[in-house]
Amino acid sequence: MTKLTRRSFGLLAGAGAASLAMPFYARAAGKPRAVVIGGGAGGATAARYLAKDGGDDLDVTLIEANSTYTTCFFSNLYIGGYRSYESITHSYDKLASNYGITVVNGMAAMVDRDAKEVIMADGSKVPYDRLVVAPGIDLIYESVQGYSEEAAQIMPHSWKAGPQTQLLKSKLDALENGQNIVMVAPPNPYRCPPGPYERVSMFAHVLNEKGFTDSKIFVIDPKPKFSKQALFQEGWNKHYAGMIEWYGPDVHGGIVGVDPSTGEVETDLDTFQGDLVNVIPAQKAGMIAQKAGLTNDSGFCPIDPKSMRSQNDENIFVIGDACIAGDMPKSGFSANSQAKVAAMAIRGDLTGSRVFPAKYSNTCWSLIETNDGVKVGAQYAPTDEKIASTSKFISQTGEDTALRQRTYEESVGWYNGITADIFGA
Ligand SMILES: Cc1cc2nc3c(=O)[nH]c(=O)nc-3n(C[C@H](O)[C@H](O)[C@H](O)COP(=O)(O)OP(=O)(O)OC[C@H]3O[C@@H](n4cnc5c(N)ncnc54)[C@H](O)[C@@H]3O)c2cc1C
């Protein structure tokens, strides 16, 4: 059910009971309306920057399906026992109270691009002058034979943070010495390229802490190589020798399918049996992006690299995991960076404020073992074709422990900073 907070409720309170049944979010005294679908890393940042920098000139509405947001970033650290679930869960209260954003708690079901209205699942309508679409990803369950939404209750993906993350952790914590984990890693493109391998490190950390030296972790990967591979494999050898076996397609020959009733993952080479099986399937843009006609054949949304404006609709901007961002990985940092470019362009459209050339940045930190942090990152600028990287950096193998500890501490500072930037401090 759509739940209203603060301004939206105030606007509707005078409108009478009949319209409360199917509200139409009234335009606030002639101000241009910026509406955002999706209150994640991208969408909540866009809403906050629109409200913060747009001041009294803009009416900003954020539509979000859930009442709180649990970050995927640092969810691996929750799985590893370094963070509590509460510490990675955030509320939308400050966006409403400190920035005057109308937060609509409900599911956007459709976008009527001709009428410039978002149609909510309960039939209510949210009109816009400019719309930001930031729904993140949807999982393509059927990309792995035998996998489904129901199977995810037995073989969790935990690639959207929330109950799935808690389920994965409870299954990990219930393992006994000698029991094995199998991960089916995702094909490109997917959210958070180093994420599966940080997760493997956290699995190993938990097993190692308990002295479960008879347990093994098998990673069945559809990709021949993966992000920060040399750094992860060096760390796995150093901290978890003999515990993790990674198989690329040239070894396993192809993933045939999974069987949730037996915990088996079948490949051309062999069948792997897991007491815990973590299946991360292929991904596409969140459903609303497809329904709004913003995706192309790739399942993601083409955008103008200079502004994040949809190539399919000049009134709509697509940011975060749902968009095709050229050289930028699908990450929370990227989504946050893209949101600021989109918010600036929208303010330019709606209030005539100055629009500066777009610049983007990203860093992805990963924890391999306690105080052993590594990172990869880049700066980006738009070209006519894509968002292109202009400079890059990556941690090196063989770095000393003090540097690795500083890198980890940097990631904690980043987490605190970015969540304040997304949800307000
Ligand atoms: C295990 C893991 C670890 C990660 N670690 C990192 C990391 O260390 N650093 C990093 O930068 N990134 C990391 N990421 C990636 C990061 O979480 C995503 O890239 C980021 O969340 C994308 O932001 P987004 O706004 O596009 O989507 P999301 O953050 O997923 O937000 C989308 C929001 O839209 C809402 N929504 C969707 N459809 C609708 C609808 N129709 N109506 C209303 N609401 C809707 C959803 O409920 C959700 O809240 C990690 C990801 C995973 C899985």
Side-chain angles (χ1 to χ4, degrees):
M1 198 193 132
T2 302
K3 204 172 96 194
L4 306 175
T5 54
R6 206 171 168 261
R7 274 195 349 198
S8 57
F9 180 79
L11 285 168
L12 289 166
S19 54
L20 268 179
M22 190 171 285
F24 188 93
Y25 296 87
R27 183 174 179 169
K31 287 183 196 176
R33 296 156 303 198
V35 174
V36 181
I37 300 176
T45 306
R48 195 173 85 84
Y49 273 75
L50 282 163
K52 178 171 81 66
D53 298 338
D56 287 337
D57 300 333
L58 281 181
D59 185 29
V60 182
T61 300
L62 174 63
I63 299 169
E64 166 55 46
N66 299 309
S67 55
T68 57
Y69 179 83
T70 302
T71 58
C72 278
F73 27 111
F74 274 28
S75 67
N76 284 332
L77 274 63
Y78 158 71
I79 286 165
Y82 294 94
R83 299 286 295 221
S84 68
Y85 191 73
E86 293 67 40
S87 78
I88 59 166
T89 300
H90 303 269
S91 108
Y92 294 102
D93 291 352
K94 287 186 194 129
L95 293 182
S97 62
N98 296 359
Y99 299 92
I101 296 167
T102 303
V103 179
V104 177
N105 186 206
M107 193 77 185
M110 284 282 286
V111 178
D112 181 339
R113 283 167 39 188
D114 294 329
K116 291 208 270 177
E117 285 171 355
V118 179
I119 319 288
M120 300 296 293
D122 66 2
S124 56
K125 295 174 179 175
V126 185
Y128 63 82
D129 294 300
R130 289 293 180 276
L131 176 67
V132 178
V133 174
I137 51 142
D138 268 359
L139 299 161
I140 309 175
Y141 291 96
E142 63 277 15
S143 65
V144 178
Q145 176 83 35
Y147 198 54
S148 62
E149 204 167 342
E150 295 72 47
Q153 293 309 311
I154 301 164
M155 298 176 157
H157 53 78
S158 309
W159 221 241
K160 289 187 177 199
Q164 274 279 306
T165 321
Q166 292 174 301
L167 179 65
L168 183 68
K169 180 160 174 59
S170 67
K171 284 181 179 285
L172 174 67
D173 290 346
L175 288 180
E176 292 173 9
N177 193 14
Q179 292 192 307
N180 295 330
I181 301 175
V182 184
M183 172 188 279
V184 178
N188 289 321
Y190 64 96
R191 101 176 345 172
C192 194
Y197 313 98
E198 179 182 56
R199 181 174 285 175
V200 166
S201 310
M202 294 296 98
F203 287 159
H205 166 76
V206 169
L207 297 177
N208 210 31
E209 286 268 287
K210 291 182 173 174
F212 288 1
T213 47
D214 297 332
S215 293
K216 277 196 174 294
I217 303 167
F218 300 99
V219 186
I220 313 300
D221 210 320
K223 308 178 292 297
K225 57 183 181 154
F226 61 87
S227 172
K228 296 190 241 182
Q229 183 162 355
L231 295 165
F232 279 113
Q233 290 184 323
E234 178 194 54
W236 294 347
N237 285 334
K238 178 176 172 191
H239 303 297
Y240 315 115
M243 193 181 260
I244 300 166
E245 294 184 17
W246 176 82
Y247 294 108
D250 54 335
V251 178
H252 63 66
I255 301 166
V256 179
V258 298
D259 184 344
S261 68
T262 58
E264 287 175 345
V265 176
E266 189 187 342
T267 69
D268 277 353
L269 170 76
D270 206 349
T271 298
F272 297 82
Q273 210 277 331
D275 301 285
L276 165 56
V277 183
N278 177 201
V279 179
I280 309 169
Q283 292 154 36
K284 61 182 179 183
M287 180 58 79
I288 190 72
Q290 190 188 333
K291 280 187 169 174
L294 302 171
T295 54
N296 66 14
D297 289 347
S298 72
F300 293 97
C301 305
I303 47 91
D304 173 2
K306 296 184 176 65
S307 61
M308 305 305 299
R309 197 184 300 271
S310 165
Q311 286 185 12
N312 298 9
D313 189 322
E314 62 181 6
N315 299 313
I316 300 182
F317 294 71
V318 187
I319 57 173
D321 289 354
C323 77
I324 300 169
D327 294 345
M328 293 189 90
K330 296 187 186 302
S331 76
F333 198 136
S334 296
N336 171 265
S337 181
Q338 293 157 8
K340 295 171 192 176
V341 170
M344 182 173 59
I346 291 170
R347 285 196 302 113
D349 281 6
L350 298 181
T351 69
S353 68
R354 191 159 164 208
V355 178
F356 295 92
K359 279 188 203 154
Y360 306 89
S361 53
N362 178 64
T363 303
C364 287
W365 287 268
S366 304
L367 187 62
I368 302 178
E369 172 56 299
T370 305
N371 287 330
D372 191 356
V374 291
K375 62 180 174 181
V376 60
Q379 304 295 320
Y380 306 85
T383 66
D384 288 341
E385 287 79 41
K386 64 173 183 176
I387 301 177
S389 93
T390 51
S391 65
K392 308 177 194 185
F393 58 88
I394 183 165
S395 296
Q396 300 299 302
T397 53
E399 283 172 346
D400 64 39
T401 52
L403 176 55
R404 290 297 178 85
Q405 179 167 349
R406 280 203 301 280
T407 303
Y408 168 64
E409 286 164 359
E410 198 179 284
S411 77
V412 176
W414 167 78
Y415 186 89
N416 295 338
I418 197 167
T419 49
D421 200 40
I422 296 169
F423 299 105

